[in-house]
Amino acid sequence: MPADPVPLLDVRDLCVSVPANGSMIRLVENVSFCVNEAEIVGLVGESGSGKSVTAMALMGLIDSPGVQVSGSARFRGQELVGMAPRALRNLRGGDIAMIFQDPMTAFTPVYTIGWQIDEQIRAHERLSRRAARARTVQLLAEMGVPDPARTAQRYPHQLSGGLRQRAMIAMALSCNPTLLIADEPTTALDVTVQAQILDLLRGLRHSHGSSVLLITHDMGVVAQTCSRTLVLYSGRMAESGPTATLFARPAHPYTAALLDSIPPLYGTRPHRLPAIAGVPPTPQERPAGCAFGPRCAYVHATCLPAPPPLASIGAGQQAACVLPTEGKPLPPRATAQAMQP
Amino acid sequence: MTHPTPVLELRDVRKTYRLPHGQRLRAVDGISLRVMPGEMLGLVGESGCGKSTLGRCMLRLDDVSSGQVLFEGRDITTLSERKLRPLRPGMQMVFQNSTAALNPRRSIGDLLAEPLRVHPGPDGRRRAAATITARLHELMALVGLPASALARYPHAFSGGQRQRINIARALALSPRLVVADEPVSALDVSVQAQIVNLFAELRERLGLTYVFVAHDLAVVRQISTRVAVMYLGAIVECGGTDDVLHAPAHPYTAALIAAVPRPMVGAPPAMLLRGDVPSPVNRPAGCRFHTRCPQAQARCSAEEPQLRAIRPNHEVACHYPPGEENPPA
């Protein structure tokens, strides 16, 4: 690795456990990654893989009774895990902001969009109402909201899904955050609107110098936006590395299978999609060994006793799989998807 | 040469909802369509384009405001519920939300047996309990679930398994036509692939005709033989799957395809359409797409283009489709 400056966010061995039936269940196990300045990092996984829980834990937003968060998450050298609520509250919405999947439920329906964005600005900065509203209108305009002054006076239900999501991003950016955590920001949107929002997110690095941690289940979104990607499976890291490497030479069979199970938009249509049999295990029934073992085509004796440790494959790529260390790495992927008539 | 009867035919179907203040929402705005036996038609479009409403109108789960719906050549547009009931076994639906579609208080066996109890058997008499039980086991095998699932309740199953149960229920009465409304969009990719494969297998084994309502173009490509693209209540392009997806003739279809984020690094960035879909309450005059169309010209805002064939089995509703040097005057 090049001698990086200190990363903006440095997460090491993050674990999140919740009590259930008298024992602790680990929803997230030993997740480590970092986000550098002005970088977009993708966190991908299927539902229940722990990607949202990871983000919520970073923001100190899990208030489930008895939850235990351990490990370390340093934001500009400040430890977030176990930070005093008051200090965390100053960071949240200020230096670290979050975009949620469903802007309809993230906004309160009883106040206007503008009121809600003004409130956040005034919570973090000493500004008059008038000055706060001016900033709100400017932000909405920057996000491509037509007629921003009037839109600010409207209620969430009066806006389309795409406009609501733009307002949500404007609100997240209102205090110039250095880190934006976006949890499935485009999942509820149509593809043509999704393309606009992704374009907006890519532009934030230059226009606001913000880093983005993008949580998604869509490998297409990752490929188009993230420079580095982390793949989670059943609360554990399966693989991480530069996005281009991950797509060309996935080192974990789960990453490879996930990419293969996406129906191709171009090239030959497979008679059958290479689906992964079965479903991901719930945290309670996670096997002792590799969590993907029961669904893996390459599973063998070494996978079963304990989860394989993350092994470095080279060039920033890591995979929690025994295959590369046993000298039997996966073949590079065929680039059938790359072909276009 | 005799043409086979279409399994489903729509003739200028409209579905209009009356809103307060005399406004009208034209959800389906004059759609004509034929679905031939063995065909898998993908109905694509963005939210609010009327694709789900059209799917419901096809099976008369919603009444149409005007136009005709023909099932296997028979006009079912105004049939009474009583007269419609004997036809229902032939046409079934799979819903998007697999959880909401299954009553949580009834076992899978009970849920699946209901259509078999309600409708008489092929001999016109009520089915015997033993016949029903045998059919339930057959259905479980068909959708790849163990027979032990019959005794369990919906909450005990994952999303993918629940969708298998929904498919089993739709197949219970051996329908000829299945309309599936976004059957895989709530599922994770790895599970989605399983269900997509299941649909393909079932078609081969049972000779079904499908209409898939979906927004995911890659899924539609995998699953359909023909694609109809909807925008604001009308079909703007219709044709063979690969013709439409690889040589789109309507600018909207082209934009829709270009907007799909492709799972490969270094793909050209998406072509951006400006703005949102206009409200179907105040749809633009002329071509319904002209407000967002990058190629719109003066004529497009004045005159509505009609669906016309540009190649055999490829129709488009655009005044200026690409590759056409001399547009019709």
Side-chain angles (χ1 to χ4, degrees), chain A residues 243-258:
Chain A
T243 310
T245 318
L246 228 61
F247 277 68
R249 280 176 276 116
H252 197 289
Y254 173 63
T255 317
L258 196 60

Side-chain angles (χ1 to χ4, degrees), chain A residues 47 160 190 192 196 267 276, chain B residues 46-47 188 190 194 221 273 276:
Chain A
S47 35
S160 69
D190 283 315
T192 58
Q196 298 166 0
I276 314 176
Chain B
E46 296 182 278
S47 45
D188 276 317
S190 74
Q194 298 169 10
R221 174 171 186 255
L273 270 188
D276 291 325

Side-chain angles (χ1 to χ4, degrees), chain A residues 46-47 160 190 192 194 196 199 220 224 247 263-267 269-273 276 278 295 337-338 340, chain B residues 46-47 188 190 193-194 197 201 204 218 221-222 224 242 246 257 259 261-265 272-273 275-276 292:
Chain A
E46 300 181 89
S47 35
S160 69
D190 283 315
T192 58
Q194 165 172 284
Q196 298 166 0
D199 195 50
Q224 302 305 312
F247 277 68
L265 196 50
Y266 294 100
R269 246 194 288 186
H271 182 61
R272 288 277 178 280
L273 285 174
I276 314 176
R295 301 173 79 192
Q337 298 248 1
Q340 195 178 335
Chain B
E46 296 182 278
S47 45
D188 276 317
S190 74
Q194 298 169 10
N197 287 342
E201 269 159 40
E204 284 161 23
R221 174 171 186 255
Q222 180 65 29
S224 346
D242 281 337
H246 292 166
I257 295 167
R262 291 166 60 190
M264 58 170 284
V265 176
L272 294 185
L273 270 188
D276 291 325
R292 298 173 81 197

Side-chain angles (χ1 to χ4, degrees), chain B residues 217-257:
Chain B
L217 292 174
V219 167
V220 165
R221 174 171 186 255
Q222 180 65 29
I223 232 165
S224 346
T225 52
R226 204 152 67 94
V227 172
V229 183
M230 281 184 76
Y231 188 76
L232 279 179
I235 291 177
V236 294
E237 183 163 5
C238 185
T241 301
D242 281 337
D243 288 341
V244 171
L245 295 183
H246 292 166
H250 198 285
Y252 176 63
T253 315
L256 204 57
I257 295 167

